Amino acid sequence: MKKDIHPDYHEIDVKMTDGTILKMRSTYGKEGDQLSLDIDPTVHPAWTGSSGRLMDSGGRVSKFKKKYEGLGF
């Protein structure tokens, strides 16, 4: 391995969406920096297994249903 080409690997604080803070080793920032997550495994449906509900952003679902209403969707 070449010397002095790899980033510094150190401990940081990772703040989850519920406010809990975990200590992890990372190359992010500097020693002791905090990384705040917008989405984390404790709430995201991909990890929790719950599908939640379909969000209709900007009426996209409504537009689709109206466009294809005669086809039985």
Side-chain angles (χ1 to χ4, degrees), residues 7-31:
D8 180 35
Y9 194 60
H10 49 270
E11 270 197 7
I12 62 166
D13 295 328
V14 178
K15 184 176 181 184
M16 303 296 236
T17 56
D18 66 353
T20 57
I21 296 178
L22 302 172
K23 290 238 182 240
M24 292 189 176
R25 293 185 50 84
S26 173
T27 58
Y28 173 82
K30 298 179 188 117
E31 178 83 28

Side-chain angles (χ1 to χ4, degrees), residues 64-65 67-73:
F64 177 83
K65 285 183 178 180
K67 184 175 181 180
Y68 296 105
E69 65 189 346
L71 298 174
F73 287 119

Side-chain angles (χ1 to χ4, degrees), residues 26-42:
S26 173
T27 58
Y28 173 82
K30 298 179 188 117
E31 178 83 28
D33 279 355
Q34 186 178 65
L35 174 66
S36 297
L37 299 179
D38 294 331
I39 299 174
D40 67 50
T42 61

Side-chain angles (χ1 to χ4, degrees), residues 54-68:
L54 181 62
M55 300 297 274
D56 187 4
S57 143
R60 292 180 189 180
V61 173
S62 303
K63 279 184 190 178
F64 177 83
K65 285 183 178 180
K66 186 175 182 180
K67 184 175 181 180
Y68 296 105

Side-chain angles (χ1 to χ4, degrees), residues 36-53:
S36 297
L37 299 179
D38 294 331
I39 299 174
D40 67 50
T42 61
V43 295
H44 195 279
W47 290 287
T48 61
S50 65
S51 63
R53 59 187 168 103

